[in-house]
């Protein structure tokens, strides 16, 4: 008992002699990512500055600090680091100061990267090496070396080099000479090719789905093409989920089969809406989208909208084309009633069109017949036109919805002949463009312009649906919908043969999905092309 009592007394005396204090850590002579790494690995810096610690612990970590700092800086090429360490006692604790002298970094003396296997002749790999930051005489940063190795493996995975590996990956650091010698041998093996594509689903025939496949059996494998296949099938609307997987274990003769598993979407989609817009007034709408009519993937879409300005009923029957992601045939019918400030028009239209996409270009050719019963100002009549139409669209963008950089160009040509179910000879051309240019991460500039011209012998025979109007949300803002253009004696805007509108806008994104904009619009619809524009 006496022995135990002595131990307890000695222990209490020891702890009564301990003092506790906080510590403030200061590091100078290093900055950026290297500084961040120092503060991460420096044990004394990880102490909470608002807490107190035993003096012996602070002194111990202070003695370890130079070694911590030197280790933290080696990945950034600094192997000759000197640290001037000071621990100062102040009234409310300790100040630990470390003045770092980096000295000359290790520089790359030799930088040898050898590619073996099929990838030796793959330009993507040489381009990756050529763009690397690792160059002779440059400071050796270990992270850049590891990143290049990771990018080689990632590129190999994306391009079908399933057996790729590093035969050799050595870095020899000569601390005395401050040099790094890199010697890497990358063995890619053979490049795999696409094998057969197998679809697991029960709603569509396999011939249609095979047309969605953007590659041919025997072509070099790329994961991007599998992503394109997945996106194309999801965008089709047939499926709610799509999983595209290479079956590496089933590969034969360097061809990897592709398995596509999917879950069918709801066959019918119903949508209802109520709202208000400056171009429509108050409106209600309902639509039916039958995602597949039959196993050939045909689709039907019907829309009904009732609004203060224009009401319409339309139906579209869509047949997938050779490349169904972007090519299709459309058969449509439409009936609409429009009443807008003295413009009254009932339109009946039926038509068919074919849409084909080539790279960024989309071409649509269509033929439609329409009948208009109209009254506009003091002019009223009935007209019919059989109109062949050809339109070209070029578009490039950095996204699909929230576009920060992009360009679009449209050209549409329409014509009619009085010997072919038309009341007059007519030709119309409309050109349009829109550009979105980023200035900063939050600021962008938007510009657009539209010009159009129509030839017809007797303008009065041209129904409002084929005339040019300006004004409204997508035209010259600040003027009501289609209320900018030539007027008759009653003051009714009757539309024109010519159109010219342009807009310049700058906007600022102050919150996700929210922007504030400053813009100016200018333009007009005209009977003659030299009439003044409105701004």
């Amino acid at each position: 008992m006496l022995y135990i009592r002595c131990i307890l007394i000695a222990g209490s005396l020891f702890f009564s002699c301990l003092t506790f204090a906080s510590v403030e850590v200061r590091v100078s002579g290093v900055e950026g990512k290297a500084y961040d790494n120092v503060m991460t690995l420096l044990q004394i810096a990880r102490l909470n500055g608002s807490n107190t610690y035993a003096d012996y612990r602070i002194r111990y970590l202070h003695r370890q600090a130079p070694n911590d700092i030197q280790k933290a800086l080696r990945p950034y090429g600094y192997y000759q680091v000197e640290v001037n360490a000071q621990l100062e006692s102040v009234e409310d604790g300790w100040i630990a100061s470390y003045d770092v002298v980096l000295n000359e970094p290790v520089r790359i003396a030799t930088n040898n990267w050898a590619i073996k296997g099929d990838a030796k002749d793959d330009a993507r790999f040489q381009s990756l090496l050529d763009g690397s930051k690792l160059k002779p005489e440059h400071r050796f940063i270990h992270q850049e070396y590891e990143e290049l190795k990771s990018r080689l493996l990632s590129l190999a995975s994306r391009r079908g080099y399933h057996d790729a590996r590093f035969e050799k990956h050595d870095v020899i650091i000569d601390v005395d000479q401050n040099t790094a010698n890199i010697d890497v041998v990358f063995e890619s093996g053979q490049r795999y090719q696409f094998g057969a594509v197998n679809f697991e689903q029960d709603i569509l025939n396999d011939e249609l789905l095979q047309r969605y496949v953007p590659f041919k059996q025997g072509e070099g494998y790329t994961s991007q093409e599998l992503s394109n296949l997945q996106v194309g099938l999801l965008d089709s609307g047939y499926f709610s989920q799509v999983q595209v997987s290479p079956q590496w274990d089933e590969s034969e003769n360097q061809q990897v089969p592709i398995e596509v598993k999917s879950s069918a979407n709801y066959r019918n989609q119903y949508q209802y809406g109520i709202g208000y817009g400056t171009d429509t007034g108050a409106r209600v709408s309902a639509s039916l989208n039958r995602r597949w009519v039959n196993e050939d993937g045909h689709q039907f879409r019907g829309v009904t909208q009732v609004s203060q300005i224009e009401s319409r009923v339309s139906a579209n029957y869509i047949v997938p084309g050779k490349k169904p992601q972007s090519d299709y045939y459309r058969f449509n019918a439409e009936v609409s009633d429009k009443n807008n400030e003295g413009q009254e028009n009932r339109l009946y239209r039926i038509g068919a069109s074919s849409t084909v996409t080539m790279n960024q270009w989309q071409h649509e050719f269509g033929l439609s017949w329409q009948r208009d019963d109209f009254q506009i100002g003091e002019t009223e009549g009935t007209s019919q036109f059989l109109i062949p139409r050809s339109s070209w669209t070029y578009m490039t963008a950095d996204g699909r919805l929230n576009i920060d950089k992009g360009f679009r160009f449209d050209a549409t040509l329409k014509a009619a002949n009085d010997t072919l179910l038309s009341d007059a000879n007519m030709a119309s051309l409309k050109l349009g463009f829109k550009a979105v240019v980023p200035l900063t991460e939050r600021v962008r500039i938007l510009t657009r312009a539209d010009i159009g011209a129509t030839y017809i012998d007797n303008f009065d025979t041209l129904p409002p649906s084929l005339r040019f109007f300006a004004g409204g949300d997508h035209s010259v803002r600040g003027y009501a919908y289609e209320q900018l253009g030539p007027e008759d004696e009653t003051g009714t805007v009757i539309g024109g043969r010519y159109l010219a509108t342009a807009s310049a806008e700058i906007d600022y994104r102050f919150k996700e999905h929210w922007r504030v904009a400053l813009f100016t619009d200018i333009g007009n619809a005209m009977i003659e092309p030299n009439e003044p524009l409105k701004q």
Side-chain angles (χ1 to χ4, degrees):
M1 291 294 293
L2 180 62
Y3 174 72
I4 296 175
R5 186 177 299 172
C6 290
I7 291 176
L8 293 174
I9 292 172
S12 61
L13 289 173
F14 170 77
F15 283 105
S16 66
C17 293
L18 290 180
T19 60
F20 292 81
S22 62
V23 59
E24 177 185 349
V25 178
R26 300 173 182 175
V27 177
S28 60
V30 62
E31 57 187 16
K33 293 182 178 179
Y35 174 83
D36 295 337
N37 201 47
V38 166
M39 299 306 288
T40 299
L41 298 183
L42 186 58
Q43 297 178 71
I44 195 171
R46 295 206 295 266
L47 299 179
N48 191 327
S50 61
N51 294 340
T52 58
Y53 301 90
D55 291 349
Y56 77 91
R57 184 180 181 188
I58 293 174
R59 291 192 181 96
Y60 171 77
L61 294 179
H62 174 68
R63 290 194 298 271
Q64 297 297 315
N67 189 47
D68 293 341
I69 294 172
Q70 289 165 351
K71 286 182 178 179
L73 291 172
R74 284 171 190 164
Y76 297 89
Y78 296 104
Y79 283 75
Q80 306 286 357
V81 174
E82 298 177 20
V83 180
N84 180 17
Q86 291 184 341
L87 184 63
E88 180 184 357
S89 176
V90 293
E91 182 178 352
D92 55 350
W94 298 93
I95 295 178
S97 303
Y98 307 99
D99 183 22
V100 179
V101 180
L102 295 175
N103 292 316
E104 276 298 307
V106 168
R107 299 192 179 274
I108 299 172
T110 59
N111 185 38
N112 298 320
W113 295 75
I115 305 292
K116 296 173 62 177
D118 288 355
K120 181 179 180 181
D121 300 318
D122 191 328
R124 296 285 187 89
F125 286 84
Q126 191 57 51
S127 177
L128 177 59
L129 294 180
D130 291 343
S132 167
K133 297 178 181 178
L134 299 174
K135 305 290 183 184
E137 301 303 322
H138 283 209
R139 174 162 57 100
F140 175 71
I141 300 177
H142 193 80
Q143 183 180 1
E144 294 177 353
Y145 164 74
E146 292 295 341
E147 283 179 355
L148 182 54
K149 287 171 56 183
S150 296
R151 292 177 67 186
L152 279 171
L153 289 172
S154 177
L155 180 61
S157 175
R158 295 197 307 270
R159 294 186 62 75
Y161 299 93
H162 186 62
D163 303 320
R165 61 187 177 86
F166 287 101
E167 276 191 0
K168 184 179 183 181
H169 50 103
D170 295 337
V171 178
I172 299 175
I173 305 293
D174 188 331
V175 177
D176 294 332
Q177 298 295 323
N178 261 5
T179 59
N181 296 282
I182 303 173
D183 193 8
V184 178
V185 178
F186 183 70
E187 171 59 70
S188 70
Q190 290 183 291
R191 185 182 185 185
Y192 282 72
Q193 301 170 342
F194 285 117
V197 181
N198 302 306
F199 292 90
E200 293 187 13
Q201 54 83 46
D202 56 4
I203 62 172
L204 302 172
N205 65 48
D206 194 70
E207 189 276 332
L208 168 64
L209 295 176
Q210 291 293 340
R211 299 208 306 268
Y212 276 91
V213 179
F215 51 83
K216 295 180 180 179
Q217 186 171 346
E219 289 183 356
Y221 173 96
T222 64
S223 59
Q224 181 60 52
E225 293 287 31
L226 296 188
S227 177
N228 293 340
L229 173 58
Q230 182 182 36
V231 170
L233 291 172
L234 286 172
D235 285 350
S236 70
Y238 301 132
F239 307 106
S240 60
Q241 293 182 344
V242 176
Q243 181 179 353
V244 181
S245 306
Q247 305 301 298
W248 296 107
D249 294 341
E250 300 177 17
S251 300
E252 294 183 3
N253 300 320
Q254 300 303 120
Q255 288 196 356
V256 54
I258 307 301
E259 182 180 76
V260 182
K261 293 183 178 180
S262 55
S263 302
N265 216 333
Y266 289 108
R267 191 166 191 174
N268 294 324
Q269 178 189 33
Y270 303 94
Q271 290 184 311
Y272 307 94
I274 183 170
Y276 178 86
T278 55
D279 291 358
T280 63
R283 63 176 184 266
V284 294
S285 62
S287 67
L288 163 66
N289 177 16
R290 190 163 177 83
R291 291 187 169 105
W292 69 93
V293 175
N294 51 34
E295 65 176 10
D296 293 323
H298 296 189
Q299 297 178 323
F300 174 82
R301 297 170 187 168
V303 178
T304 299
Q305 176 176 293
V306 178
S307 75
Q308 288 179 287
I309 294 177
E310 183 176 13
S311 301
R312 69 175 64 234
V313 177
S314 65
N316 291 271
Y317 191 87
I318 301 166
V319 179
K322 184 177 181 180
K323 185 180 177 183
Q325 299 96 318
S326 56
D327 302 347
Y328 53 88
Y329 305 95
R330 183 192 300 270
F331 303 90
N332 64 286
E334 174 187 350
V335 178
S336 67
D337 264 315
K338 187 174 184 178
N339 189 333
N340 183 30
E341 301 293 338
Q343 306 171 23
E344 297 181 16
N345 188 60
R346 169 164 287 188
L347 169 68
Y348 306 87
R349 179 188 287 143
I350 57 173
S353 63
S354 170
T355 300
V356 178
T357 300
M358 297 166 287
N359 297 323
Q360 277 81 31
W361 284 97
Q362 184 181 76
H363 176 228
E364 179 182 358
F365 175 78
L367 181 66
S368 63
W369 175 86
Q370 69 177 64
R371 170 178 166 165
D372 293 78
D373 298 325
F374 65 91
Q375 180 176 351
I376 183 166
E378 296 181 326
T379 303
E380 62 179 294
T382 298
S383 67
Q384 66 172 7
F385 286 88
L386 181 67
I387 302 174
R389 180 185 75 258
S390 181
S391 65
W392 290 87
T393 301
Y394 175 88
M395 186 173 69
T396 177
D398 63 353
R400 305 178 70 182
L401 294 176
N402 296 318
I403 297 174
D404 288 318
K405 183 179 181 181
F407 176 82
R408 179 185 177 109
F409 170 78
D410 301 277
T412 301
L413 177 65
K414 300 177 182 178
N417 189 282
D418 60 7
T419 62
L420 296 173
L421 300 178
S422 300
D423 289 340
N425 295 319
M426 186 270 294
S428 175
L429 175 65
K430 185 178 180 182
L431 305 176
F433 96 93
K434 183 175 182 179
V436 181
V437 180
L439 293 183
T440 69
E441 184 180 351
R442 292 178 175 269
V443 180
R444 62 181 184 173
I445 290 179
L446 298 87
T447 61
R448 59 177 168 84
D450 292 284
I451 59 173
T454 299
Y455 162 79
I456 191 167
D457 290 331
N458 182 1
F459 182 73
D460 288 342
T461 63
L462 195 66
S465 62
L466 296 176
R467 300 182 184 186
F468 291 121
F469 293 87
D473 181 45
H474 299 287
S475 180
V476 183
R477 290 164 286 188
Y479 291 86
Y481 175 59
E482 294 191 349
Q483 291 303 294
L484 190 55
E487 302 177 356
D488 66 6
E489 294 180 356
T490 67
T492 301
V493 177
I494 61 173
R497 297 173 183 264
Y498 300 93
L499 175 71
T501 64
S503 174
E505 179 174 329
I506 184 169
D507 67 23
Y508 171 74
R509 177 170 56 84
F510 62 91
K511 189 178 180 181
E512 192 70 23
H513 308 306
W514 289 89
R515 295 178 182 268
V516 59
L518 177 68
F519 65 85
T520 181
D521 296 343
I522 189 171
N524 209 346
M526 302 158 284
I527 296 295
E528 299 298 333
N530 57 354
E531 295 179 19
L533 304 179
K534 303 289 187 177
Q535 186 174 14

